[in-house]
Amino acid sequence: MKHIRNFCIIAHIDHGKSTLADRLLEYTQTIKITEGQMLDDMDLERERGITIKSHAIQMEYTYKGEKYVLNLIDTPGHVDFSYEVSRSIAACEGALLVVDASQGVQAQTISNLYMALEHDLEIIPVMNKCDMASAMPDEVEDEIIDLLGCKHEDIIRASGKTGMGVEEILQAVIERIPCPNGDENAPLQALIFDSVFNSFRGIIAYFKVENGIIRSGDKVKFFNTGKEYVADEVGVLKMDMIPRKELRTGDVGYIISGIKTSSEVKVGDTITHIARPCEKAIEGFEEVKPMVFAGVYPIEAEDYENLRASLEKLQLNDASLTFQPESSLALGFGFRCGFLGLLHMEIVQERLDREFDMNVITTVPNVSYMVYDKQGGVQEVHNPGGMPEPTLIDHIEEPYIDASIITTTDYIGPIMTLCLGKRGELVRQDYISGNRVELHYKMPLGEIVIDFYDKLKSISKGYASFDYHQAGFRPSKLVKLDILLNGESVDALSTLTHIDNAYDLGRRMCEKLKELSPRQQFEIAIQAAIGAKIIARETIKAVRKDVTAKCYGGDVSRKRKLLEKQKRGKKRMKQIGTVEVPQKAFLAVLKLD
């Protein structure tokens, strides 16, 4: 155990975690680096240049004549995948805190650091990208010292591109990070921190052994679900899975036990022996709280069961996804899914398409509200269709967040304007160092769901960084905005919005739908309504055939007779005609701005 070190790499987006991980793997001769970001093995990660999943890998390194085993977990940097980071941190004793030498400390750096400190991890500060022309090592070093309270000599200057400082990082990992502390003779306790689905071997769970020893062939049970299995194979994670006879305390590895149903594996569960079980499960693992809700529906109704199976398999690999069945008049049967943010929602949609061939329609994203009725009862409402009648509602409360935005002083004005437009209240502003400032806002979560992050990035030219935590509920004046096509409500386009934004939003939605809906043989009215009150209207003109073309000469009454006949036909068609909303109109309404 003295020769094991478990650590993760945490940082803000684009500070070079995955590139640094490549250098560490190359230096310890674990794998040959054939292309950049070897651990990002999903197509989506490669295309977008972001890490979506945490990746665990084992390295071996000889230091002062002794051989050490280093278990490294590379984590995502985007705020939408912070749950992945919290799970990785639970499986480690130390963390490399990577800070970009040209950008300095940013919002996600701070929030990931706090997460690591809560778990009592040993922090090794690393300043990456020191080879860049725009690097400001001295200023950034001062920022790190302000943040951590460490000494100048504790900070390692490195570069993931050139490999500078990699040797010092490995030495620091061995010298500064403590070895795992557990008892090999105690009953088995292992924490599951991730799982994947394999169509040949069933579900593979990744775990870290806290106490005891697990051998292949052992009879084990999962503590929370109480299900029992035989450990067919245990082993360690390199680029591939490498089977081992046994895993001892402190090791990180995988277990295959032929589990077929995904509901039996819960991330954060504890594995123990049947013969000699541990007394209690490992603690310190919180349930995920989804921030954004949206309906996901199959395009073909018969794909409903396939979609359920796909979501279950995806949930194994992405524990922050939650879902429950729901139905809609316009779209049939589907699921109400909870996501951590808009990027997360987009990634889940892409992964459903690529990994499971599921083509889906997603409704307008929204958050969950607390609705109080006049009898004093309360219910949680995730989608506008579940709202009680307006006459029965006493008041509605919406979720608020504590947001922290770090930016340079040049962009304070535009950012404040943006936050005020989103009904934010400035709590305080702190100057971090030089011209960097941290703004603290209280804001409604519903306002930042759609496009806040994108706008923030564009007005600050990519320099502002954003992080948030939930901060309870507050009463608010919310109304349900319905979109009517030919007098029929399209429930998939209904939204809950603040009364101040309703008129503007209704008008913009109608205009967008008019632009994107195909013309029919009859006139279509697109209306936005609050209750029975219409607040905006657009009309799609009918496609008309020139029925008078065959009349040449003769009395005008012949033409009028033909036009009257056409008018009656159009009227009859309008009564029986139905209007389909195309998929691209749904998506365009989401991205209204």
Side-chain angles (χ1 to χ4, degrees):
M1 245 167 68
K2 285 212 280 294
H3 292 96
I4 297 177
R5 299 287 183 274
N6 298 321
F7 68 101
C8 57
I9 305 184
I10 55 177
H12 192 76
I13 317 164
D14 281 347
H15 281 201
K17 295 177 294 298
S18 302
T19 313
L20 193 63
D22 281 356
R23 291 292 84 73
L24 292 169
L25 295 172
E26 192 173 46
Y27 192 83
T28 54
Q29 293 169 353
T30 307
I31 48 170
K32 271 196 150 53
I33 303 289
T34 50
E35 52 188 333
Q37 281 87 27
M38 289 293 286
L39 292 180
D40 291 352
D41 49 11
M42 214 187 295
D43 296 345
L44 270 175
E45 295 180 313
R46 291 269 162 88
E47 282 167 28
R48 293 175 177 237
I50 55 176
T51 304
I52 294 168
K53 286 288 304 163
S54 302
H55 299 274
I57 189 162
Q58 192 179 82
M59 311 182 284
E60 284 163 6
Y61 181 60
T62 310
Y63 176 62
K64 293 188 177 168
E66 294 192 26
K67 202 164 162 194
Y68 287 88
V69 170
L70 310 178
N71 289 310
L72 151 74
I73 303 181
D74 178 29
T75 65
H78 196 282
V79 64
D80 278 14
F81 306 115
S82 54
Y83 189 60
E84 287 284 326
V85 184
S86 76
R87 299 194 336 233
S88 310
I89 284 174
C92 292
E93 281 84 33
L96 296 181
L97 181 72
V98 178
V99 180
D100 187 331
S102 58
Q103 295 188 359
V105 172
Q106 294 195 298
Q108 213 46 37
T109 317
I110 296 176
S111 96
N112 286 343
L113 170 69
Y114 286 155
M115 230 189 287
L117 290 173
E118 273 170 33
H119 285 266
D120 292 335
L121 264 58
E122 180 63 39
I123 307 287
I124 300 176
V126 176
M127 192 160 50
N128 197 15
K129 304 193 185 180
C130 286
D131 60 317
M132 284 176 65
S134 59
M136 313 172 290
D138 299 335
E139 290 95 322
V140 174
E141 213 162 74
D142 292 340
E143 281 180 31
I144 297 174
I145 290 167
D146 283 349
L147 181 66
L148 279 175
C150 60
K151 301 187 186 73
H152 270 284
E153 55 271 19
D154 293 344
I155 301 171
I156 301 171
R157 295 192 178 193
S159 160
K161 202 186 218 170
T162 61
M164 144 191 175
V166 170
E167 196 174 346
E168 289 98 85
I169 290 173
L170 289 167
Q171 288 170 7
V173 165
I174 290 167
E175 283 172 5
R176 296 194 216 167
I177 292 177
C179 59
N181 54 351
D183 181 359
E184 285 199 352
N185 302 319
L188 173 70
Q189 259 189 325
L191 173 77
I192 299 178
F193 65 88
D194 204 354
S195 55
V196 292
F197 180 81
N198 181 314
S199 43
F200 302 109
R201 322 252 355 222
I203 291 157
I204 303 170
Y206 297 163
F207 63 90
K208 176 195 176 191
V209 186
E210 298 277 350
N211 291 307
I213 298 174
I214 183 169
R215 297 180 174 88
S216 66
D218 280 357
K219 292 195 164 98
V220 295
K221 74 168 183 179
F222 288 11
F223 206 90
N224 292 340
T225 56
K227 293 279 189 345
E228 301 182 352
Y229 307 100
V230 174
D232 296 336
E233 184 184 302
V234 294
V236 295
L237 298 157
K238 296 223 170 166
M239 264 331 251
D240 299 312
M241 294 187 278
I242 301 192
R244 291 279 154 92
K245 289 271 192 309
E246 61 175 30
L247 292 180
R248 309 178 83 88
T249 304
D251 280 331
V252 172
Y254 68 91
I255 178 171
I256 299 176
S257 47
I259 308 169
K260 293 284 182 284
T261 38
S262 48
S263 57
E264 293 176 23
V265 180
K266 291 270 184 291
V267 165
D269 204 346
T270 303
I271 305 175
T272 186
H273 281 134
I274 296 176
R276 195 174 148 219
C278 57
E279 286 169 17
K280 60 180 201 299
I282 301 166
E283 290 169 2
F285 215 80
E286 76 260 20
E287 275 291 301
V288 58
K289 290 190 209 63
M291 296 284 188
V292 177
F293 296 89
V296 172
Y297 293 86
I299 286 179
E300 301 296 333
E302 60 264 25
D303 286 343
Y304 175 72
E305 280 306 320
N306 295 351
L307 179 60
R308 182 198 292 275
S310 306
L311 281 168
E312 281 176 356
K313 287 173 188 169
L314 192 57
Q315 195 177 29
L316 278 175
N317 196 237
D318 179 355
S320 48
L321 171 70
T322 57
F323 64 92
Q324 63 203 52
E326 72 162 6
S327 63
S328 141
L329 294 172
L331 300 169
F333 289 101
F335 296 92
R336 164 98 350 207
C337 297
F339 306 97
L340 293 185
L342 276 199
L343 177 67
H344 185 210
M345 177 172 134
E346 212 174 297
I347 295 290
V348 166
Q349 226 175 317
E350 276 279 291
R351 286 183 70 183
L352 280 172
D353 185 26
R354 291 183 185 203
E355 294 170 29
F356 305 101
D357 269 347
M358 290 304 308
N359 209 344
V360 294
I361 291 179
T362 313
T363 63
V364 182
N366 55 21
V367 297
S368 57
Y369 298 98
M370 291 295 182
V371 180
Y372 291 83
D373 58 29
K374 293 189 173 159
Q375 278 76 42
V378 58
Q379 70 181 86
E380 192 175 352
V381 173
H382 294 307
N383 75 350
M387 285 282 281
E389 286 298 311
T391 49
L392 305 175
I393 297 173
D394 182 50
H395 68 281
I396 303 176
E397 291 189 350
E398 64 174 335
Y400 264 70
I401 54 164
D402 288 328
S404 78
I405 300 169
I406 298 184
T407 178
T408 52
T409 43
D410 317 349
Y411 305 113
I412 290 181
I415 287 175
M416 282 185 164
T417 314
L418 172 70
C419 293
L420 287 172
K422 299 281 185 190
R423 299 189 282 133
E425 300 163 20
L426 182 63
V427 180
R428 64 174 199 277
Q429 57 187 57
D430 306 327
Y431 284 85
I432 306 175
S433 66
N435 66 343
R436 306 277 302 287
V437 64
E438 184 173 11
L439 303 170
H440 295 269
Y441 270 94
K442 273 218 180 312
M443 297 171 81
L445 180 61
E447 292 282 344
I448 67 157
V449 159
I450 303 260
D451 56 354
F452 178 77
Y453 194 69
D454 301 344
K455 281 188 170 171
L456 180 70
K457 282 289 181 201
S458 52
I459 59 177
S460 65
K461 301 194 170 61
Y463 273 110
S465 56
F466 171 68
D467 185 45
Y468 59 86
H469 301 283
Q470 227 166 347
F473 286 79
R474 286 192 192 181
S476 178
K477 283 187 182 163
L478 295 165
V479 289
K480 181 182 171 194
L481 180 69
D482 287 312
I483 299 293
L484 310 175
L485 287 183
N486 255 356
E488 293 283 319
S489 168
V490 183
D491 57 352
L493 289 175
S494 299
T495 50
L496 285 173
T497 178
H498 195 264
I499 196 155
D500 299 348
N501 305 341
Y503 287 83
D504 184 41
L505 181 67
R507 197 189 70 248
R508 293 207 320 260
M509 281 172 102
C510 290
E511 284 167 2
K512 200 73 185 172
L513 280 170
K514 179 183 179 182
E515 194 183 304
L516 292 170
S517 299
R519 285 170 72 182
Q520 305 286 350
Q521 298 275 324
F522 51 91
E523 199 173 83
I524 305 169
I526 302 174
Q527 296 164 311
I530 298 174
K533 184 181 176 190
I534 304 291
I535 57 169
R537 172 179 170 134
E538 293 286 334
T539 309
I540 300 178
K541 290 278 180 261
V543 182
R544 298 188 64 147
K545 179 182 168 193
D546 187 1
V547 286
T548 57
K550 59 186 178 190
C551 288
Y552 45 92
D555 189 40
V556 73
S557 59
R558 286 180 62 198
K559 279 189 179 177
R560 193 167 293 135
K561 184 178 157 194
L562 286 168
L563 286 169
E564 283 297 323
K565 188 179 169 191
Q566 183 187 33
K567 196 170 167 185
R568 285 198 303 278
K570 297 263 182 222
K571 190 176 176 184
R572 196 166 58 248
M573 213 182 232
K574 184 170 184 175
Q575 284 164 354
I576 58 165
T578 55
V579 186
E580 290 284 317
V581 183
Q583 164 75 355
K584 67 169 192 247
F586 273 117
L587 295 176
V589 172
L590 306 190
K591 303 194 170 96
L592 262 180
D593 292 309

